[in-house]
């Protein structure tokens, strides 16, 4: 391979954020980092504990200067706490409190944990304005349905993360909040005019850019007024025209995972990589599915696209320069706080809401109505079990046919029903309605968005299903 060929391959590899299975870095990842690979994205399956993550990131940095990223939003989407649930309550809870200084403190605490583990880029916060209650992928990941509220908390989150030199990645541009389709599975459409888009979806991104956000993540959503029928990730009108031009963003543009069906089932993994680079992306998050063979095929396709004139070498050089500037920023001075931060539980306690009056607990039966996890969240544990050791807890699939059995089990005992986004799941609503009709003294705890409420004696809304949310709800239940 000639020197020019090696240089071109290095530029191509430098645009990729790869993933891998296991808690140690594979040899191929370390080898590719030595040859210019942009970095890695970690997932829950890469995490066994803080010490292990630190060893992993030390090994990765020993092979190059990688961007080391993950999705640590707090709330439902966590990677460091994937196996136990997050100690931070998540954006919906922070939006419910509506204290930007609290949001700033929560994200600074998250940054301290990430920095201590050697992670330099957090794929957070979600700046999506969740105007669609039936949104299957955003929900409690959003600060709320009001653009101004989302904007001020997005700014606070960016400032909290970046105060400790962990780069924020504001997502999902140009907005995933008004969708009813999960872009992991298909291409959602946000069919609004430019005026609505500017006033609603773009407002938090504009504010975050003004606050100095280091990176922005693209969404695999189509906005016909801007992108036609293609997703924003592949649209030069969205990434270069709107984000770079109109909003003036000069930081790093990172794609959402390219192994999502919105890309793989439309233009393919390698084809999507070339098209998003041409559109203006700088770093391509490949997601957890691509193998090393896929990575090599993507690099080869990028190199071929440059040689064939489908992608300019200048575009790769521009991306490399932006990522180099980000790496230089990572290296700035910072001082991590030494104290143990309990801001997460404090925030969850401020967010939790009680309506009605729960009865004192007597040999409580807790019925947790199972809700399928989204792909973005993964199979993170949730529920009140750790905080109610005296209770009998049963996890059930939602079926009204099970109500008689559960009611019989609850005879003479307190009945607590825990749900998650019941407004999105008819079977959950039917089961809960049947239980409450027979036992009006039931306490219902909603750990998703509190859109639907049954006519129970007491109703607790947590605005999230993280560990901190659950603890705050049980404390309220026990002291009410």
């Amino acid at each position: 391979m000639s020197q020019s060929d090696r240089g071109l391959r290095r530029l191509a590899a430098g645009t990729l954020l790869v993933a891998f299975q296991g808690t140690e870095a594979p040899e191929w990842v370390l080898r590719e980092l030595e040859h210019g690979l942009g970095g890695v994205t970690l997932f829950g399956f890469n995490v066994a504990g803080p010490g292990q993550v630190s060893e992993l990131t030390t090994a990765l940095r020993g092979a190059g200067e990688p961007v080391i990223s993950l999705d640590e939003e707090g709330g439902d989407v966590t990677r460091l706490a994937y196996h136990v649930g997050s100690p931070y309550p998540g954006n919906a809870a922070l939006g419910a409190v509506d204290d930007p200084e609290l949001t700033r403190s929560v994200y600074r605490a998250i940054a301290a944990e990430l920095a201590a583990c050697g992670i330099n880029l957090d794929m957070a916060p979600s700046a999506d304005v969740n105007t669609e209650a039936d949104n299957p992928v955003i929900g409690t990941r959003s600060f709320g349905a009001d653009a101004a509220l989302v904007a001020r908390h997005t700014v606070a989150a960016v400032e909290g993360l970046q105060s400790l030199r962990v780069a924020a990645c504001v997502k999902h541009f140009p907005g995933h909040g008004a969708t009813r389709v999960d872009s992991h599975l298909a291409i959602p459409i946000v069919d609004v005019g430019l005026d609505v888009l500017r006033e609603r979806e773009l407002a938090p991104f504009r504010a975050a850019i003004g606050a100095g956000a280091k990176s922005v993540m693209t969404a695999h959503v189509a906005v016909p007024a801007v992108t036609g029928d293609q997703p924003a990730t592949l649209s030069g009108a969205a990434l270069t025209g709107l984000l770079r031009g109109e909003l003036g963003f000069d930081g790093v543009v990172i794609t959402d995972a390219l192994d999502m069906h919105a890309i793989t089932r439309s233009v393919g993994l390698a084809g999507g990589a070339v098209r998003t680079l041409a559109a203006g992306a700088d770093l391509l998050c490949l997601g957890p599915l691509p193998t090393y063979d896929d990575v090599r095929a993507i690099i080869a396709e990028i190199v071929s696209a440059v040689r064939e004139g489908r992608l300019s070498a200048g575009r790769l050089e521009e991306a490399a320069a932006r990522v180099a500037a980000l790496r230089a920023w990572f290296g700035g001075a910072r001082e991590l706080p030494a104290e143990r931060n309990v801001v997460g539980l404090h925030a969850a306690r401020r967010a939790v809401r009680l309506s009605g009056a729960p009865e004192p607990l007597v040999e409580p039966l807790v019925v947790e109505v199972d809700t399928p996890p989204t792909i973005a969240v993964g199979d993170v544990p949730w529920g009140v079990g750790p905080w109610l050791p005296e209770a009998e807890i049963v996890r059930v699939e939602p079926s009204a046919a099970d109500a008689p059995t559960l009611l019989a089990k609850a005879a003479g005992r307190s009945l607590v029903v825990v749900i998650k986004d019941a407004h999105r799941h008819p079977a959950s609503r039917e089961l809960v309605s049947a239980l409450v009709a027979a036992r009006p003294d039931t306490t219902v705890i909603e750990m998703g968005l509190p859109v639907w409420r049954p006519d129970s004696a007491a109703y607790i809304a947590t605005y999230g299903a993280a560990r901190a949310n659950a603890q705050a709800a049980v404390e309220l239940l026990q002291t009410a």
Side-chain angles (χ1 to χ4, degrees), residues 302-319:
I302 294 170
V303 169
S304 294
V306 172
R307 288 176 175 156
E308 295 166 7
R310 293 180 284 126
L311 178 68
S312 72
R315 177 75 268 282
L316 294 184
E317 291 165 352
E318 179 184 59

Side-chain angles (χ1 to χ4, degrees), residues 80 114 123 125 143 145 160 164 166 232 251-252 255 260 266 298 312 420 468 472:
L80 286 186
L114 297 180
M123 291 180 171
F143 291 111
L164 296 180
V166 173
V252 176
T255 71
M260 292 159 65
S266 58
I298 292 166
S312 72
K420 188 177 178 185

Side-chain angles (χ1 to χ4, degrees), residues 100-284:
E101 189 53 45
L102 178 66
T103 297
R104 189 175 292 106
S105 297
V106 166
Y107 273 88
R108 181 176 169 86
I110 290 173
E113 291 196 25
L114 297 180
C117 291
I119 292 153
N120 49 32
L121 188 144
D122 187 9
M123 291 180 171
S126 167
D128 304 294
V129 183
N130 198 68
T131 55
E132 174 52 67
D134 200 30
N135 194 317
V137 70
I138 302 300
T140 57
R141 300 169 66 193
S142 167
F143 291 111
D146 177 77
L149 179 145
V150 174
R152 60 179 171 266
H153 287 277
T154 298
V155 166
V158 167
E159 291 173 346
L161 287 171
Q162 295 187 174
S163 68
L164 296 180
R165 292 200 177 265
V166 173
C169 184
V170 184
K171 61 189 186 186
H172 306 79
F173 182 84
H176 210 316
T179 64
R180 288 191 174 191
V181 174
D182 186 342
S183 53
H184 292 85
L185 305 174
I187 301 176
I189 296 174
V190 179
D191 196 4
V192 299
L194 279 172
D195 288 345
V196 172
L197 193 75
R198 289 185 177 110
E199 292 173 9
R200 190 176 69 185
E201 271 75 15
L202 297 184
F205 292 98
R206 188 180 298 109
I209 291 165
K214 293 297 178 180
S215 65
V216 168
M217 178 181 285
T218 71
H220 304 331
V221 300
V223 184
V226 178
T227 72
D229 60 359
Q230 65 180 335
T233 297
L234 307 180
S235 169
L239 304 189
T240 301
L242 192 57
L243 181 56
R244 296 283 188 207
E246 182 173 324
L247 299 188
F249 181 61
D250 61 0
V252 176
V253 174
I254 303 177
T255 71
D256 205 346
L258 292 184
D259 61 351
M260 292 159 65
H261 289 175
I263 303 299
T264 58
R265 294 190 176 178
S266 58
V267 296
L269 191 59
V274 170
R275 287 185 57 179
T276 191
L277 285 168
D282 303 307
L283 279 176
L284 316 186

Side-chain angles (χ1 to χ4, degrees), residues 378-402:
D379 197 13
V380 177
W382 67 279
V384 300
W387 315 111
L388 268 180
E390 72 275 20
E392 179 184 358
I393 297 179
V394 293
R395 180 68 66 96
V396 300
E397 296 293 325
S399 171
D402 293 333

